[in-house]
Amino acid sequence: MLGGAGVGVTLAVNGLLNADQNENYTGAPITPGDSPTLGDRLLVSDSGFVALELGATWVDANDYVDVTSAVGPLPNGATLVGTYFTDDPLAAVDVVPTLVMVLEGVPENQLGPVDLESAHEGFISGGLAGLNQMGTAATVSEPAPVTTANGLNGLVTELSLEMEGIAIRAYEYTFVRSERVVYVQVMAYTSTFDDVAAALATDSLRIDK
């Protein structure tokens, strides 16, 4: 149950023609010989421009659910980096493990660095549109600034909803670097939030230009 994760996501186009973002970014360039430093395994996107680390118990959600159908079609320029449960959902007793989904993209016709606020607004509006199609309403927080351990500046919005009697809390993160956008969704199937999973996914995130 992905709950409309990523459905209808839109990429921002024609961001501000300003200096590059994240002037305090300290992430090392992504190379084939990289090793994880915060997590147990390293995940590198097909493009080679995005990397993050996974926990020891994280499992590929594609082995348990039809992720492609649940997410729906992605906009041009967007790809799914990975979708993981933080533990084996078949072994879960009371609560479905947290779901972490990461997307990256380069908006079509992008001119200059992507505008973070526009990219985040498109991410949230697309996700809400997907939930509306499913007849599900969500309580949405105002976007809040967030800075990762690597110095990536982003925005995060909290969504709270109920689906099939299950309380769901999702944190939706948007990060940009130059013309590339990365979206991180951390969805906990409880009334509390999985801070550990969110910290690992975001603090280990690196984006190459």
Side-chain angles (χ1 to χ4, degrees):
M1 178 172 51
L2 303 188
V7 175
V9 168
T10 57
L11 295 180
V13 180
N14 297 335
L16 299 178
L17 295 175
N18 56 9
D20 193 18
Q21 322 91 324
N22 306 296
E23 60 182 10
N24 296 319
Y25 179 66
T26 60
I30 300 167
T31 64
D34 281 355
S35 299
T37 59
L38 298 176
D40 181 70
R41 291 169 290 158
L42 185 69
L43 173 65
V44 179
S45 68
D46 290 342
S47 72
F49 286 94
V50 175
L52 70 152
E53 298 174 24
L54 313 176
T57 61
W58 292 24
V59 295
D60 192 334
N62 289 281
D63 295 336
Y64 301 88
V65 296
D66 186 352
V67 172
T68 300
S69 297
V71 174
L74 297 177
N76 293 333
T79 58
L80 190 60
V81 176
T83 309
Y84 287 83
F85 285 112
T86 56
D87 212 334
D88 183 349
L90 298 182
V93 178
D94 298 318
V95 178
V96 177
T98 296
L99 181 78
V100 179
M101 177 179 291
V102 182
L103 301 96
E104 72 163 312
V106 176
E108 287 189 322
N109 305 315
Q110 181 65 35
L111 299 174
V114 170
D115 178 53
L116 175 61
E117 291 186 1
S118 296
H120 188 67
E121 181 180 352
F123 181 34
I124 300 304
S125 62
L128 292 176
L131 290 174
N132 288 336
Q133 291 175 10
M134 302 168 62
T136 301
T139 301
V140 185
S141 73
E142 290 295 321
V146 60
T147 301
T148 72
N150 282 335
L152 282 172
N153 297 316
L155 290 171
V156 59
T157 292
E158 178 186 347
L159 273 64
S160 299
L161 58 138
E162 184 173 303
M163 185 173 293
E164 299 179 5
I166 299 176
I168 298 174
R169 179 172 292 183
Y171 276 26
E172 314 284 347
Y173 296 86
T174 302
F175 301 97
V176 300
R177 189 158 187 248
S178 189
E179 298 179 357
R180 191 168 303 274
V181 184
V182 174
Y183 300 113
V184 179
Q185 179 184 70
V186 182
M187 181 176 287
Y189 296 85
T190 67
S191 59
T192 58
F193 186 62
D194 191 341
D195 294 296
V196 174
L200 176 56
T202 57
D203 281 339
S204 68
L205 180 64
R206 289 180 290 156
I207 307 173
D208 280 355
K209 294 194 290 184

